[in-house]
Amino acid sequence: MKKVLGVVGSPRKNGNTHILVSKILEGAQEEGVAGDLLFLGERTIRQCDGCHVCWQGKPCSKNDDMNGLYGRIAESNAIVFGTPVYWYGPTALMKGFIDRFVYFNCAENRSQVRGKPVVVATPFEDRDPETVRLLMAFFEKCFEYLQMRLIGQIAVPGVGQKGDVLADQDSLAEARGLGVRLAQALRGE
């Protein structure tokens, strides 16, 4: 069975990011794809210091939870990246997680993510759509570099309080639809 890894880069459980990522996974599950949810706030992920040990085909030199996550990332058939906008970028949790994708930058590991379909879910408090532009450009560039396929994205403005997104039925439906599109991409449709 195909599997989608949903990564919640918000420190809030049951918050807007968690809800959107869950809705995307729900849409994929309706199409027969298993969902696997990962809360970065429950993990210890140290910052990459550019030692490049992983580029030599060796395990990452950091003794933290990310070493155990590389297998989950590789085994997933698709990934959902969810983060609220913090100062026009991702949360520190998500940025640290993405920084450690340097592991997939060497020839030995690149095949574990190359071509993998991804989607991005981004709730944010501001109502100006420009607020999310830099964050999306960041993700787009990262995915292009890693040769991952961006299938879609959802940005939901005006949701600063925990659970605000639940009142936006259109966005919840859009998120679910993204999960369906992700499942279709996994089937080659």
Side-chain angles (χ1 to χ4, degrees):
M1 176 182 273
K2 301 281 186 186
K3 182 169 42 174
V4 176
L5 177 62
V7 181
V8 178
S10 170
R12 290 183 182 173
K13 272 199 170 182
N14 301 312
N16 298 312
T17 304
H18 180 189
I19 293 165
L20 287 173
V21 170
S22 295
K23 279 292 174 189
I24 294 167
L25 292 180
E26 182 181 298
Q29 289 168 336
E30 289 171 8
E31 296 290 313
V33 176
D36 181 17
L37 202 54
L38 169 63
F39 291 96
L40 295 180
E42 295 178 344
R43 304 296 176 153
T44 299
I45 298 176
R46 294 179 54 207
Q47 68 184 28
C48 178
D49 63 9
C51 72
H52 296 140
V53 167
C54 59
W55 288 10
Q56 299 165 16
K58 299 176 185 172
C60 179
S61 64
K62 306 295 168 281
N63 185 17
D64 65 4
D65 293 335
M66 191 67 187
N67 283 309
L69 296 177
Y70 289 127
R72 277 175 77 179
I73 293 165
E75 291 167 6
S76 69
N77 302 100
I79 303 174
V80 177
F81 292 86
T83 181
V85 177
Y86 277 22
W87 289 102
Y88 307 98
T91 61
L93 293 168
M94 181 60 75
K95 181 65 168 74
F97 179 71
I98 293 289
D99 283 353
R100 295 288 291 280
F101 269 59
V102 71
Y103 174 86
F104 298 110
N105 193 41
C106 71
E108 292 83 9
N109 299 327
R110 177 62 64 92
S111 63
Q112 296 174 40
V113 296
R114 181 184 294 118
K116 196 167 290 215
V118 296
V119 299
V120 177
T122 309
F124 57 105
E125 186 171 11
D126 196 355
R127 295 192 179 278
D128 182 355
E130 279 294 302
T131 299
V132 77
R133 185 178 56 81
L134 291 173
L135 173 65
M136 286 313 306
F138 162 78
F139 275 116
E140 289 167 3
K141 196 66 173 169
C142 291
F143 300 149
E144 176 186 329
Y145 186 78
L146 290 166
Q147 300 170 307
M148 299 171 88
R149 296 180 328 173
L150 180 60
I151 301 300
Q153 55 192 299
I154 181 170
V156 183
V159 289
Q161 297 300 311
K162 187 175 184 178
D164 278 354
V165 75
L166 290 170
D168 186 346
Q169 293 303 308
D170 291 340
S171 291
L172 295 176
E174 182 182 348
R176 190 193 121 325
L178 263 178
V180 170
R181 282 181 39 208
L182 199 53
Q184 291 168 343
L186 288 174
R187 290 194 301 261
E189 297 174 14

